[in-house]
Amino acid sequence: MRSKLSPPTFTPRLRAVPRHVGVMAVVALVFALTAGALWAAPVMTNQKTKSLTGTVRIVGSRDAAAPVSRWASILKRDHPDVHVVTMLYGAGTGAGALADGEADLVPMFRTLRPDEREMIVASEGPPQSAAVAVPSTADRTLRLYYKPFGVTRSDRIAAEFVHIALSREGRAALAPTP
């Protein structure tokens, strides 16, 4: 019969770590945790006016310049500390920018092609969209594509932008002027 052997006990001997190395490690850990919390910080508001602050990036169709500009002016009026960056180079640029995290909103006068949808799904999850009828463009429907809203500043500002586009005031801003 075999006897059961217990594994050998191993007690490592650690050298004494200099005190400054331990302090530096604690400082680095606190810095890393703080930086991570700031990176994923919830929406910041101007405490005096209770308005949003931050930037929203809009990449998409050149044809959407007029409606996007009107909605951006409403957003800026209500939230003066928000910066709206528009890069309306063409509908083909929007899906890639959304998939790469370079855009928060993508306005297009068409639906996403299957390859564009797959690209966004692979990186961000299924895209969301809001449809707005734009009377000044021969009754075409403008779709605002966006990733699912989270807790970041740009997500909250993008959600407010979509809210403005779908609001009564946002739709009234699109009425053709005589």
Side-chain angles (χ1 to χ4, degrees):
M1 264 181 102
R2 290 189 168 183
S3 64
K4 292 184 179 179
L5 297 175
S6 61
T9 57
F10 177 71
T11 308
R13 293 186 182 193
L14 299 174
R15 294 184 318 192
V17 177
R19 184 174 178 186
H20 70 279
V21 172
V23 171
M24 289 174 54
V26 169
V27 169
L29 178 63
V30 169
F31 178 75
L33 292 174
T34 304
L38 290 175
W39 180 258
V43 175
M44 300 302 292
T45 58
N46 181 328
Q47 293 304 314
K48 288 184 180 180
T49 62
K50 300 293 184 195
S51 69
L52 298 173
T53 61
T55 302
V56 63
R57 301 161 301 165
I58 303 171
V59 179
S61 174
R62 287 183 293 270
D63 296 340
V68 166
S69 175
R70 291 179 188 137
W71 294 329
S73 66
I74 295 170
L75 181 69
K76 292 286 293 171
R77 182 198 67 208
D78 296 345
H79 305 283
D81 296 329
V82 168
H83 300 285
V84 179
V85 177
T86 57
M87 296 168 276
L88 303 175
Y89 302 127
T93 61
L98 189 62
D100 292 340
E102 303 281 330
D104 301 307
L105 289 168
V106 176
M108 298 179 161
F109 281 102
R110 63 173 176 81
T111 58
L112 289 171
R113 294 187 315 257
D115 61 317
E116 292 172 328
R117 179 173 286 284
E118 288 173 16
M119 180 174 42
I120 295 169
V121 167
S123 66
E124 296 287 338
Q128 308 294 312
S129 70
V132 182
V134 181
S136 61
T137 58
D139 295 322
R140 292 169 49 194
T141 300
L142 176 63
R143 289 172 173 74
L144 291 170
Y145 289 97
Y146 52 91
K147 60 187 177 193
F149 296 132
V151 296
T152 64
R153 285 183 202 165
S154 60
D155 287 346
R156 179 64 182 107
I157 297 167
E160 181 66 14
F161 192 92
V162 171
H163 173 76
I164 288 170
L166 296 174
S167 72
R168 176 174 280 149
E169 182 181 16
R171 290 175 189 263
L174 300 178
T177 55

